[in-house]
Amino acid sequence: MSRHDILLTDWTVYILECANGVLATGFCSNFKKRMADINIFRETPYFKHFPEAIPAKVVFKETGLTFKEAYSKSRYLKNMVKRLKINLIKTGRWPIGGAFREYLKTGRASPRYRGQGSILS
């Protein structure tokens, strides 16, 4: 496996629980640096505007994704309702509803799917 192949599958999707109770989501290629930027330097728009949200702790993380997978899952997480995010954190299983399938295919979901999806038990 070449360095190029490793970089293609070295993306991480994460959910952070902030000090103010918000579940912040995102994706990055260097997770340790990203967490340092958030907790030390407040280098994201949300944490610049809401410094009381720091410290943030990691409650869900999925690594070893390609850029397209990480981007799609991150976009889906940002539109997911809080109840589904909490279920994802507890079970570690992604929703399998129509919105998730559409995100995997196209990288975006139509408004009719927003916030929908069932959780595997």
Side-chain angles (χ1 to χ4, degrees):
M1 183 178 284
S2 70
R3 178 167 164 69
H4 182 69
D5 293 334
I6 292 171
L7 291 176
L8 290 177
T9 60
D10 199 21
W11 290 83
T12 302
V13 174
Y14 57 86
I15 300 176
L16 305 176
E17 184 177 11
C18 304
N20 61 0
V22 172
L23 294 175
T25 63
F27 77 105
C28 61
S29 62
N30 187 340
F31 186 71
K32 287 182 181 180
K33 181 181 181 301
R34 183 67 163 172
M35 286 305 296
D37 288 350
I38 290 171
N39 283 322
I40 298 170
F41 305 111
R42 296 169 169 75
E43 288 295 325
T44 64
Y46 178 79
F47 292 106
K48 282 182 181 179
H49 288 85
F50 299 101
E52 70 276 4
I54 295 173
K57 67 177 183 175
V58 180
V59 291
F60 176 81
K61 178 172 79 166
E62 185 176 340
T63 59
L65 301 171
T66 64
F67 175 80
K68 183 177 179 179
E69 291 170 336
Y71 178 76
S72 296
K73 287 183 176 187
S74 174
R75 292 281 310 260
Y76 183 58
L77 276 175
K78 289 185 186 300
N79 290 311
M80 192 186 292
V81 294
K82 189 170 186 175
R83 173 181 53 86
L84 292 177
K85 287 180 190 178
I86 291 169
N87 283 338
L88 173 61
I89 292 164
K90 287 180 181 176
T91 64
R93 297 183 183 187
W94 285 87
I96 57 168
F100 187 64
R101 283 192 211 106
E102 186 166 336
Y103 266 112
L104 290 179
K105 285 182 194 173
T106 65
R108 62 184 198 281
S110 65
R112 73 184 178 121
Y113 285 124
R114 185 159 291 152
Q116 296 178 7
S118 58
I119 298 292
L120 291 172
S121 49

